[in-house]
Amino acid sequence: MIRHYLRIAWRQIRRHPIYASIHVLGLSIGICACTVIYLIARYDLGFDKFHPDADRIYRVVGDIRFPEGATMFLNCPPQLAELEHGIPGFQQEVGFHTFGSTVTIPAGNGKPEADFSTKPDRRYGTSLILTGPSFFDLFPHQWVAAGPAVLDEPNLIVLTESAARKYFGSVPVNRLIGRALIVDDSLPLTVAGIVRDWDGLSDLDYTGFISISTAPNSWLKSRFPTTDWRSLIPHTSQAFVKLAKGVRPEQVNAELAAFVARRHPVLFPGTSDMHLYLQSLRDMHYTPNFHRQDTGDDFPQAYLPLLYALMGVAMFILLLAVINFVNLTTAQSLQRVKEVGIRKVMGSSRGGLIRQFFVETFLLAVGAVVLSALLVKPALHLFSDYIPNGVEFHVLDGRNLLFLLSITLITTLIAGVYPAKLISGYLPVTSLKGSTDKGGVGGSFLRKSLIVFQFTISLLFIIGSLVIGRQIRFMRDADKGFDTDAVMTISRFRPKQGQMQLFAQRVRGISGVRDVVLESNAPMGSAHA
């Protein structure tokens, strides 16, 4: 029976190729938009969910309020040495410092010296940290060579497999141990271990782990003076704790508040108020403020309400595509009145006709899903400036296949139920006369409502596009109070003392340069501009 339904449905589609093409194209655009939004939501909602006991891991953070009224979020409050032993409920603690901008592989075996940047795709800062063995207790990695204990010794570094391949090529792992590299031109280190990269998404996906004992045994001691929490610095350091079983974060937050009340004037001079609290590892990826200022983190963050709004938009887009499909199908039903009458006279039941129309809808939905899958990658490339780095689409990914299958079934069900009921409800006698009187099966109120809804939404989108276009023209053409033509901003430049002044002097000497200005940040940018 199913083969019969499929054969008839395919004949119907081939008989009306224009209608079928419009159906497939309209649905595919809607499904493509839904798929892109699904990929964005899946990406941003998937960070740091794979760690063991992730529900008990928290980051110690704070808010500082200054006398003039400004507030700053700190990803790690300074001078936390007393917290390590003064706050009950911590099962494990770990702190680390981000450090290093370049890695140099010394020349050898006839090969030239090679320099590599440590800035990863998803970060503003570096992929290297100074830490100890306790980091791997809280955030386990699979070790390929050696173990966490190697970070007890100074001047050693552990690399992930991806970093090792980047720096040394396809050298076997057993030949990497003992290899030398130099961080920031003057810190010699020896490779002491190799770990596998995490498979899951994480904001802690560092690729190089320098032993924290390296700091007091090198020129880093002036930058990181101790190996305890007192050396943690906001913007470049973070502190994580794992709560003991049964301990709730509210209990620790109360202890932190009492700690601040006791020690605030001594530990945090120059601030009018400070609030310490635990931030869940699972919440670290999300900013509480859509207009994000500098959070101190060096990784992009998502705004949860915006993600939920996008998911709502995806459902609305799919609904519009389905309504368009229903309106086109009901309009086409006038051409199928006699077909329905003949089928009923020949013995077809209404249930059989409904199943037949559902099969036709299913085939069209499958065609739309296949076309939408082909459109997703071009759409991701076209809107890459608005989509987080790392969002990818792989058709054979299990969750992607499940999503596309779900969309196919949901679309078939919603888009097929009303047209199938409508078309199969025509009476044989009136159908053979060419009449569209449905003989009491139902009125045309729903059909008219869907048409009115579709036209209303179309007008709203047209009006909204015109308004937004005028706003963009206003922002582009309005007088900003300063000339933006021929102005170049050079950022993310970390010079040594005196280099900026020398750089500015050299640039002033270039023909065509009228002036050079030195500043900490761009006038209209944030700390990461």
Side-chain angles (χ1 to χ4, degrees), residues 59 75-76 94-96 204 206 232 237-240 284 297 299:
R59 181 170 64 161
N75 60 352
C76 174
V94 64
F96 62 84
L204 303 173
Y206 299 103
L232 298 182
S237 307
Q238 297 187 53
F240 287 85
M284 189 175 67
D297 291 316
F299 51 83

Side-chain angles (χ1 to χ4, degrees), residues 462-478:
I462 292 172
I463 294 171
S465 299
L466 293 175
V467 172
I468 293 173
R470 293 187 64 181
Q471 289 178 326
I472 293 175
R473 283 194 297 272
F474 172 78
M475 290 187 292
R476 186 178 63 238
D477 300 333

Side-chain angles (χ1 to χ4, degrees), residues 420-499:
K421 180 181 177 182
L422 174 72
I423 299 173
S424 65
Y426 292 122
L427 296 177
V429 175
T430 55
S431 297
L432 292 173
K433 292 180 179 179
S435 173
T436 59
D437 182 10
K438 294 167 61 245
V441 173
S444 58
F445 176 75
L446 179 58
R447 180 172 51 191
K448 293 178 180 178
S449 298
L450 291 177
I451 294 173
V452 170
F453 176 79
Q454 184 178 16
F455 274 97
T456 301
I457 295 300
S458 299
L459 288 174
L460 287 176
F461 275 121
I462 292 172
I463 294 171
S465 299
L466 293 175
V467 172
I468 293 173
R470 293 187 64 181
Q471 289 178 326
I472 293 175
R473 283 194 297 272
F474 172 78
M475 290 187 292
R476 186 178 63 238
D477 300 333
D479 183 10
K480 301 177 181 63
F482 59 92
D483 187 9
T484 59
D485 292 335
V487 176
M488 180 180 294
T489 301
I490 301 176
S491 59
R492 299 176 188 171
F493 181 49
R494 298 181 178 180
K496 296 180 180 179
Q497 186 175 4
Q499 284 186 334

Side-chain angles (χ1 to χ4, degrees), residues 242-459:
K242 182 178 181 179
L243 301 186
K245 292 183 178 180
V247 176
R248 292 180 289 109
E250 294 79 8
Q251 298 173 261
V252 178
N253 287 338
E255 294 286 345
L256 290 173
F259 168 80
V260 171
R262 293 193 309 268
R263 302 292 290 156
H264 174 268
V266 177
L267 292 180
F268 312 108
T271 64
S272 60
D273 188 21
M274 182 166 187
H275 177 214
L276 289 184
Y277 58 95
L278 298 181
Q279 181 188 44
S280 172
L281 175 66
R282 295 177 172 179
D283 295 334
M284 189 175 67
H285 184 70
Y286 312 107
T287 175
N289 190 349
F290 179 69
H291 303 287
R292 182 181 65 82
Q293 301 299 316
D294 179 19
T295 62
D297 291 316
D298 67 348
F299 51 83
Q301 294 175 310
Y303 184 55
L304 271 180
L306 181 60
L307 280 179
Y308 295 142
L310 278 175
M311 288 187 277
V313 169
M315 290 186 287
F316 183 70
I317 290 174
L318 182 61
L319 178 63
L320 287 179
V322 168
I323 289 176
N324 180 68
F325 182 95
V326 170
N327 286 336
L328 287 172
T329 303
T330 53
Q332 189 187 14
S333 67
L334 299 178
Q335 301 179 12
R336 307 190 65 177
V337 171
K338 290 186 178 181
E339 176 191 343
V340 172
I342 293 174
R343 285 177 178 273
K344 285 191 173 182
V345 168
M346 297 299 293
S348 295
S349 65
R350 187 177 183 187
L353 289 172
I354 289 176
R355 288 190 291 272
Q356 176 65 56
F357 292 129
F358 264 113
V359 170
E360 291 181 18
T361 303
F362 175 75
L363 288 182
L364 292 172
V366 169
V369 167
V370 171
L371 180 58
S372 69
L374 298 175
L375 294 175
V376 169
K377 286 191 176 181
L380 290 175
H381 177 73
L382 182 63
F383 297 100
S384 58
D385 291 340
Y386 310 99
I387 295 175
N389 292 332
V391 175
E392 298 178 343
F393 178 67
H394 302 286
V395 177
L396 299 181
D397 180 90
R399 284 188 287 180
N400 290 343
L401 286 174
L402 181 61
F403 174 79
L404 293 176
L405 177 61
S406 302
I407 287 290
T408 303
L409 297 178
I410 291 172
T411 302
T412 300
L413 180 62
I414 299 176
V417 61
Y418 175 67
K421 180 181 177 182
L422 174 72
I423 299 173
S424 65
Y426 292 122
L427 296 177
V429 175
T430 55
S431 297
L432 292 173
K433 292 180 179 179
S435 173
T436 59
D437 182 10
K438 294 167 61 245
V441 173
S444 58
F445 176 75
L446 179 58
R447 180 172 51 191
K448 293 178 180 178
S449 298
L450 291 177
I451 294 173
V452 170
F453 176 79
Q454 184 178 16
F455 274 97
T456 301
I457 295 300
S458 299
L459 288 174

Side-chain angles (χ1 to χ4, degrees), residues 41-186:
R42 173 184 165 183
Y43 175 81
D44 274 324
L45 293 175
F47 275 81
D48 291 303
K49 300 295 191 294
F50 61 92
H51 302 286
D53 300 319
D55 58 326
R56 293 195 285 131
I57 299 177
Y58 293 82
R59 181 170 64 161
V60 183
V61 296
D63 292 321
I64 287 185
R65 296 172 179 84
F66 296 93
E68 64 273 14
T71 301
M72 177 183 292
F73 171 83
L74 299 178
N75 60 352
C76 174
Q79 303 184 41
L80 291 178
E82 296 185 27
L83 288 181
E84 192 167 5
H85 304 290
I87 303 296
F90 294 167
Q91 178 177 321
Q92 290 177 283
E93 310 93 8
V94 64
F96 62 84
H97 312 272
T98 57
F99 162 74
S101 59
T102 60
V103 168
T104 301
I105 306 302
N109 298 326
K111 295 182 179 180
E113 187 175 88
D115 292 319
F116 300 90
S117 170
T118 63
K119 182 184 179 303
D121 294 335
R122 286 192 54 258
R123 293 186 176 276
Y124 308 117
T126 178
S127 60
L128 300 182
I129 60 172
L130 287 99
T131 190
S134 57
F135 180 88
F136 297 97
D137 295 333
L138 197 58
F139 301 107
H141 287 65
Q142 184 177 352
W143 287 82
V144 179
V150 298
L151 291 184
D152 284 328
E153 300 296 327
N155 302 107
L156 298 180
I157 185 172
V158 172
L159 298 175
T160 62
E161 286 185 310
S162 62
R165 286 193 297 269
K166 176 182 177 182
Y167 300 149
F168 300 104
S170 57
V171 178
V173 172
N174 59 349
R175 293 174 54 189
L176 291 178
I177 304 302
R179 293 290 295 267
L181 56 80
I182 302 172
V183 175
D184 278 7
D185 298 326
S186 56

